[in-house]
């Protein structure tokens, strides 16, 4: 039986589940320590037991491990190294038999080896967090589901689950790997069987956006293939749409450097909105795609923002909805309105009879602005200067999309579209924004924040009524 220990008075065979079986390992260690079995008498395996030996105690109480040792167990048990359990048990045995300060001696061969293994697992976790790419799929009922394929080097799938749940809590997603899969439905996490690359979508409608983003953000003058491959090993490239652009970018790097030197001479000092606007006007993009490349290559407002979040939806959309700025989830997913406010907006639109396929969504400010509090990135309101900094882009974007109605969601969008601050509630309803047919309403995140349930329901109903009126404006 998996996780069961079978013993003789001499050697003991411990059978664990394939992959990362931390619970099985901990249980076995407790029983081995309680029975006083030294490491050299233990054979660790993931095969079927060979049924020799006398029994160990059925169960044994847990005992504390120093935090550093517990961290090593947590990481090293995920490694593919077949000896990992034997090495860890040797460490625990020595810690329990008088070598309390063992881990402060990095020159000890066992400690050194375990630290190397832990480092490899940490690196694998980092790669998975950074290079996993979800592809959007749409089920028959219209529900979105994001699916990613990834091939980790080690057994890290379970160890990485909490990271993706925290990052994409309000989305439905699956992560497929050759060792198993994870499925999150917005509330619960389920483990599933191993999958193959063919089970995951190869592309989605945002693929071109990713590539465009990377091409635009790529600085040919800093091309360093060794560093690129060290940070983003080639094996990950095939799952990353933006990486498909690398060979072409390498080929054209020398000529792009020359073009950059020429452009640099015309560029304004960073963060000077007036000069930036003037310089962008000089760049005058000929298409929405070109404009998006310029936006994608621009600097974030605060360090740590992942990327510019571009508008999404068809050119010639009936309605364009303009929000404030991407939130935490939008910043990570690289798409506007995919977090809680976006989901509420989708629901309200459906209730109001607005066909989502005819909607373009974007933001007044294209980068996530936040302050870090503990482990969280907390939204921080853009200043008037920052709204103006992005305003030129928004105007060009709406020129290209040419919607029949432009909807301002919340005060920041009103400021960006009107070019000046205006009280939101007093101006709620139909308006014009520089000759565009427009409408002012509240931001969906405001509805999420109303504390009283009755007031919340009322505010939501009023929002849906606004959307009905907005639908009528396009007629
Ligand atoms: N709020 C916004 O204004 N925009 C988004 O994309 C998400 C939340």
């Amino acid at each position: 039986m998996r996780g069961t220990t079978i013993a003789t008075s001499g050697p003991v065979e411990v059978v664990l589940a394939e992959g990362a079986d931390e619970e099985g390992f901990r249980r076995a260690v407790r029983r081995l320590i309680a029975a006083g079995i030294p490491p050299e008498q233990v054979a660790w395996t993931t095969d079927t037991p060979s049924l020799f030996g006398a029994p160990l105690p059925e169960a044994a109480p847990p005992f504390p491990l120093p935090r550093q040792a517990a961290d090593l167990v947590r990481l090293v048990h995920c490694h593919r190294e077949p000896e990992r359990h034997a090495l860890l048990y040797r460490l625990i045995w020595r810690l329990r038999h008088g070598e309390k300060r063992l881990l402060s001696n990095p020159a000890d061969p066992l400690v050194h080896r375990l630290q190397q293994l832990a480092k490899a697992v940490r690196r694998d976790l980092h790669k998975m967090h950074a290079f996993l790419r979800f592809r959007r799929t749409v089920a028959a009922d219209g529900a979105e589901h994001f699916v990613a394929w990834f091939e980790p080097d080690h057994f890290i799938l379970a160890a990485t689950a909490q990271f993706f749940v925290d990052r994409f809590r309000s989305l439905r997603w699956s992560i497929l790997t050759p060792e198993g899969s994870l499925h999150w439905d917005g509330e619960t996490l389920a483990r599933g069987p191993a999958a193959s690359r063919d089970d995951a979508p190869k592309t989605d409608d945002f693929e071109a956006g990713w590539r465009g983003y990377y091409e635009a953000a790529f600085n040919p003058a800093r091309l360093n293939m060794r560093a690129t491959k060290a940070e983003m090993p080639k094996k990950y490239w095939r799952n990353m749409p933006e990486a498909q652009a690398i060979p072409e970018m390498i080929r054209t790097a020398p000529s792009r450097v020359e073009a950059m030197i020429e452009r640099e001479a015309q560029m304004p000092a960073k963060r000077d909105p007036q000069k930036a606007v003037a310089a962008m006007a000089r760049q005058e993009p000929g298409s929405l795609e070109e404009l998006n490349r310029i936006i994608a290559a621009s600097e974030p407002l605060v360090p740590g923002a992942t990327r510019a979040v571009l508008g999404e939806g068809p050119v010639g959309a009936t309605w364009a909805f303009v929000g404030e700025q991407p939130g935490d989830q939008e910043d990570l997913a690289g798409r506007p309105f995919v977090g809680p406010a976006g989901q509420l907006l989708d629901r309200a639109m459906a209730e109001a009879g607005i066909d989502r396929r005819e909607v373009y969504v974007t933001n007044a400010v294209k980068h996530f602005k936040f302050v870090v509090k503990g482990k969280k990135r907390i939204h921080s309101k853009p200043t008037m200067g920052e709204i103006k900094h992005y305003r030129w882009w928004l105007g060009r974007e709406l020129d290209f999309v040419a919607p029949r109605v432009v909807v301002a969601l919340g005060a920041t969008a009103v400021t960006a579209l009107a070019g000046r601050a205006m009280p939101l509630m007093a101006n709620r309803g139909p308006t014009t924004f520089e000759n565009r047919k427009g409408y002012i309403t509240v931001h969906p995140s405001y509805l999420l924040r109303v504390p009283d349930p009755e007031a919340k329901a009322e505010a939501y109903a009023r929002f849906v009524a606004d959307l009905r009126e907005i639908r009528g404006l396009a007629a």
Side-chain angles (χ1 to χ4, degrees), residues 392-473:
W392 180 87
W393 285 330
L394 180 63
R396 296 292 74 70
E397 189 181 5
L398 293 174
D399 287 345
F400 286 122
V401 175
R404 265 190 265 166
V405 184
V406 178
V407 181
L409 297 168
T412 299
V414 173
T415 306
L417 289 165
R420 65 192 165 94
M422 285 164 66
L424 183 81
M425 290 307 184
N427 290 287
R428 188 171 185 169
T431 187
T432 51
F433 295 121
E434 295 180 344
N435 300 327
R436 297 181 218 274
K437 199 187 271 191
Y439 196 95
I440 295 175
T441 185
V442 294
H443 193 286
S445 65
Y446 155 78
L447 303 172
L448 292 170
R449 290 195 305 268
V450 178
D452 173 59
E454 234 177 78
K456 195 185 201 99
E458 226 172 80
Y460 178 75
R462 177 141 187 235
F463 183 61
V464 174
D466 282 357
L467 294 182
R468 289 209 176 93
E469 197 178 352
I470 288 163
R471 193 188 67 189
L473 286 181

Side-chain angles (χ1 to χ4, degrees), residues 368-418:
F368 179 36
K369 186 181 172 196
F370 60 92
V371 288
V372 177
K373 288 216 175 113
K375 284 190 172 169
K376 292 214 163 117
R377 303 191 301 171
I378 309 293
H379 161 276
S380 145
K381 232 182 159 26
T383 62
M384 181 62 99
E386 286 160 348
I387 298 170
K388 284 196 176 150
H389 171 71
Y390 288 90
R391 190 163 182 263
W392 180 87
W393 285 330
L394 180 63
R396 296 292 74 70
E397 189 181 5
L398 293 174
D399 287 345
F400 286 122
V401 175
R404 265 190 265 166
V405 184
V406 178
V407 181
L409 297 168
T412 299
V414 173
T415 306
L417 289 165

Side-chain angles (χ1 to χ4, degrees), residues 190-474:
R191 296 204 58 165
S196 78
R197 172 187 294 281
D198 292 339
D199 297 326
K202 305 254 169 328
T203 176
D204 71 3
D205 48 11
F206 200 62
E207 201 93 342
W210 270 109
R211 286 185 59 160
Y213 163 71
Y214 194 65
E215 279 169 5
F218 172 72
N219 180 347
R222 295 218 186 110
L223 177 65
N224 174 345
M225 269 326 280
R226 261 182 60 202
T228 302
K229 281 186 187 157
E231 171 53 21
M232 194 204 287
K234 250 184 141 168
K235 70 172 253 201
Y236 300 109
W237 291 14
R238 57 175 180 242
N239 292 328
M240 300 173 68
E242 67 270 38
Q244 312 302 320
I246 291 175
E248 175 64 9
M249 290 189 316
I250 292 168
R251 203 180 58 72
T252 56
S255 54
R256 291 184 66 185
V257 173
E258 276 168 33
M260 274 179 65
I261 292 168
E262 244 174 62
R263 271 244 309 273
E264 183 68 28
Q266 306 171 18
M267 280 307 277
K270 283 174 186 139
R271 291 275 161 273
D272 181 335
Q274 298 306 323
K275 287 192 191 157
V277 167
M280 278 178 297
R282 277 204 299 277
Q283 286 185 41
E284 199 56 66
S287 67
L288 183 58
E289 255 178 30
E290 231 180 275
L291 175 76
N292 279 343
R293 273 191 234 283
I294 300 173
I295 299 175
S298 68
E299 267 186 60
L301 290 175
V302 290
T306 312
R307 58 180 67 95
V309 175
L310 308 174
E312 220 178 79
V315 166
T318 307
W319 301 276
F321 282 76
V322 181
E324 182 194 75
Q325 63 165 330
D328 181 65
Q329 296 197 17
E330 286 79 13
D331 171 71
L332 292 163
R335 302 184 51 223
F337 282 106
V338 293
Q343 286 165 16
L344 190 140
L345 179 62
D346 282 351
R347 179 155 70 89
M349 278 189 201
E351 268 180 53
I354 291 182
D355 184 346
R356 197 66 178 68
R357 288 168 305 183
E358 292 181 45
V359 172
Y360 183 86
V361 280
T362 191
N363 284 298
V365 169
K366 306 298 192 217
H367 287 98
F368 179 36
K369 186 181 172 196
F370 60 92
V371 288
V372 177
K373 288 216 175 113
K375 284 190 172 169
K376 292 214 163 117
R377 303 191 301 171
I378 309 293
H379 161 276
S380 145
K381 232 182 159 26
T383 62
M384 181 62 99
E386 286 160 348
I387 298 170
K388 284 196 176 150
H389 171 71
Y390 288 90
R391 190 163 182 263
W392 180 87
W393 285 330
L394 180 63
R396 296 292 74 70
E397 189 181 5
L398 293 174
D399 287 345
F400 286 122
V401 175
R404 265 190 265 166
V405 184
V406 178
V407 181
L409 297 168
T412 299
V414 173
T415 306
L417 289 165
R420 65 192 165 94
M422 285 164 66
L424 183 81
M425 290 307 184
N427 290 287
R428 188 171 185 169
T431 187
T432 51
F433 295 121
E434 295 180 344
N435 300 327
R436 297 181 218 274
K437 199 187 271 191
Y439 196 95
I440 295 175
T441 185
V442 294
H443 193 286
S445 65
Y446 155 78
L447 303 172
L448 292 170
R449 290 195 305 268
V450 178
D452 173 59
E454 234 177 78
K456 195 185 201 99
E458 226 172 80
Y460 178 75
R462 177 141 187 235
F463 183 61
V464 174
D466 282 357
L467 294 182
R468 289 209 176 93
E469 197 178 352
I470 288 163
R471 193 188 67 189
L473 286 181

